[in-house]
Amino acid sequence: MIHKRIKLFEDKEVFLSTYIHDDIGTYGTENGRGAIIVLPGGAFAFLSPFEAEPVALTFMQKGFHAFVLEYTVGDNCKYPDVLVECSRAIQIVRDNAKQWNVNPDKVTLMGFSAGACLAGMSATQWNAPEISAALGVEPEYIRPDAAVIAYGCWDNSGTIWNDPEFANPGASDFPKSCPPQLDLINYVGKHVCPLFIWHNQQDRYVPVRNCLMIAEEMCRLKIPVELHLYAGGEHGLSVANPLSVQDQRQQAVVEANPNVSMWVEMAVNWITRL
């Protein structure tokens, strides 16, 4: 495995960690492997370690090259900077496609919670002029080919911060301020990449109707989408395997809801078909 931690900007502590197979040139990978860029959650206040390397290793084992983006969180997290950071990660992977044996047409974002919101922002707003201008590239160069959205929010102002049942006091000021770019549902159009979405019905932080509203809109626009809604579970289950379980209580939740872990194989099949 080729494991590096690459600094993406000279003036910011933003890093991309690589989990790259070292079989470049091996039979069967002539066109390059698909790439998964993992965006951990953490309410834009921190980066969850349980949604970072455990995800990368899980999908690397499935045959993908994997990358983990350490984007800006806390007081310095704001738009458009955080979307520029995500777009820069896509740019770096495509810039190094030949060296890393990546298929540049198979770059998938995989976000969890706040990271899912960021992945959804990229999926819906990759064509914002200020993003490509900041990176000096054509907009299409930073368009993700697909996005996997794990318990992500699509309507920040309407279904979270105006509903006291779901407002998260531990979140950073970025989501609390409800910038319009976090109401991703308003940016959905024909330009959006295919989406794989999964959510747990008992999620305490992101109301389940978020995944339903985006799936309905994708179907209306006839854009490829796959939605898996699990009856049990909770927020933050990541890949729901021993690598990602945080404590005994969460282990019990995973054991009580074995279907949740099946999203990994389903996502692999979906990405492979694309």
Side-chain angles (χ1 to χ4, degrees):
M1 178 175 70
I2 302 171
H3 185 45
K4 300 179 180 179
R5 190 165 177 257
I6 303 169
K7 190 172 185 180
L8 298 190
F9 302 90
E10 291 184 3
D11 58 342
K12 292 198 295 184
E13 298 299 301
V14 176
F15 297 91
L16 187 69
S17 294
T18 70
Y19 298 78
I20 300 171
H21 292 267
D22 56 5
D23 61 355
I24 294 175
T26 299
Y27 175 77
T29 63
E30 294 89 346
N31 295 323
R33 294 177 182 266
I36 303 288
I37 301 176
V38 180
L39 310 176
F44 292 107
F46 66 97
L47 296 174
S48 170
F50 303 100
E51 296 165 339
E53 185 170 80
V55 181
L57 293 176
T58 296
F59 279 85
M60 189 181 184
Q61 190 272 332
K62 300 297 182 182
F64 297 92
H65 295 311
F67 305 83
V68 175
L69 177 63
E70 298 172 45
Y71 56 91
T72 299
V73 294
D75 292 342
N76 293 323
C77 181
K78 54 191 173 183
Y79 182 91
D81 297 359
V82 70
L83 180 52
V84 171
E85 293 168 10
C86 179
S87 302
R88 174 65 173 155
I90 296 173
Q91 180 186 17
I92 286 291
V93 170
R94 289 201 169 117
D95 283 350
N96 291 277
K98 186 173 182 180
Q99 176 186 348
W100 292 340
N101 195 38
V102 168
N103 187 326
D105 297 322
K106 294 184 178 181
V107 179
T108 299
L109 294 179
M110 183 173 290
F112 299 80
S113 193
C117 189
L118 180 53
M121 192 186 304
S122 177
T124 58
Q125 297 165 57
W126 57 268
N127 58 348
E130 61 268 30
I131 307 304
S132 54
L135 297 173
V137 297
E138 292 297 318
E140 289 74 13
Y141 196 70
I142 52 175
R143 179 187 185 271
D145 295 303
V148 175
I149 307 295
Y151 38 91
C153 173
W154 289 88
D155 182 34
N156 189 65
S157 60
T159 65
I160 293 186
W161 292 104
N162 286 331
D163 186 339
E165 181 181 354
F166 292 99
N168 181 1
S172 77
D173 286 340
F174 179 49
K176 287 179 181 177
S177 65
C178 296
Q181 292 82 9
L182 282 183
D183 288 335
L184 315 179
I185 195 69
N186 296 330
Y187 294 85
V188 178
K190 290 286 190 179
H191 65 288
V192 175
C193 66
L195 299 179
F196 179 100
I197 305 161
W198 73 273
H199 211 108
N200 288 315
Q201 188 177 2
Q202 305 306 319
D203 195 309
R204 295 176 295 140
Y205 294 105
V206 180
V208 70
R209 58 188 180 274
N210 275 255
C211 72
L212 301 177
M213 64 170 61
I214 179 57
E216 181 179 24
E217 189 66 6
M218 294 286 283
C219 289
R220 184 184 72 82
L221 293 169
K222 296 181 172 57
I223 305 170
V225 62
E226 187 160 322
L227 169 65
H228 297 279
L229 175 59
Y230 300 101
E234 61 178 33
H235 194 82
L237 291 189
S238 185
V239 285
N241 66 25
L243 289 174
S244 65
V245 170
Q246 302 179 35
D247 50 36
Q248 289 184 339
R249 184 202 59 79
Q250 194 177 68
Q251 177 64 38
V253 172
V254 170
E255 291 176 353
N257 299 279
N259 284 357
V260 174
S261 65
M262 296 173 66
W263 81 262
V264 172
E265 287 295 340
M266 292 175 174
V268 169
N269 292 340
W270 181 81
I271 294 169
T272 301
R273 289 200 310 274
L274 286 178

